Amino acid sequence: MSALAGALGAAALGGAAHAATGADAYYSAAFNACNKTAMSTLEMHACQDAEYAKWDKQLNQVYQALMASRSADARVQLRDDERAWLARTKLKCDHAGDDNAGGTLQGIEIGGCYLDEHILRTVYLRGLH
């Protein structure tokens, strides 16, 4: 298999894994374009990292706004819920690439899981605002 075919196959597999979560509807146009042109796992990681940084920032902003608008009891509940979400996400995503253990797709799958979970959590928290 050529390097190009391998990279294209990796991109297709990575995209399929993310689409199953529903988070793909929220990917930015820049991320989608980046994914289409990425020819190596290094480039795929760069695409993911840029999109993750945007969503992580949005997640933190939404969470902080919710915390500021809640009563003390509701803040404790939200904080505890956030901690539980973080633990679930870590458990899920740290094993997302297990089927590709040792291969170049392992990191892509793990990164894609964290990206998707951040997107879905942001969308969920926006619904609470």
Side-chain angles (χ1 to χ4, degrees):
M1 178 186 303
S2 73
L4 175 59
L8 292 175
L13 285 172
H18 306 307
T21 68
D24 61 318
Y26 299 98
Y27 292 160
S28 70
F31 178 69
N32 287 328
C34 185
N35 268 345
K36 286 183 181 182
T37 60
M39 298 300 263
S40 69
T41 53
L42 183 63
E43 291 171 330
M44 288 181 221
H45 280 291
C47 297
Q48 276 184 347
D49 291 348
E51 189 76 353
Y52 177 86
K54 291 176 192 174
W55 281 100
D56 188 54
K57 182 177 180 180
Q58 289 180 47
L59 176 57
N60 287 317
Q61 289 172 341
V62 171
Y63 177 78
Q64 291 301 322
L66 279 170
M67 288 296 277
S69 68
R70 298 285 194 253
S71 68
D73 289 342
R75 284 194 304 271
V76 169
Q77 183 177 357
L78 180 60
R79 182 204 63 205
D80 291 347
D81 185 47
E82 193 72 5
R83 288 176 178 171
W85 170 78
L86 286 166
R88 286 189 311 271
T89 297
K90 180 171 178 32
L91 181 64
K92 176 182 179 180
C93 293
D94 284 355
H95 295 285
D98 285 357
D99 290 346
N100 298 300
T104 57
L105 273 182
Q106 184 177 20
I108 297 296
E109 291 296 322
I110 292 169
C113 179
Y114 276 104
L115 171 60
D116 289 355
E117 290 300 314
H118 272 66
I119 290 170
L120 295 173
R121 183 66 177 178
T122 303
V123 170
Y124 169 75
L125 290 179
R126 282 180 183 160
L128 297 178
H129 204 285

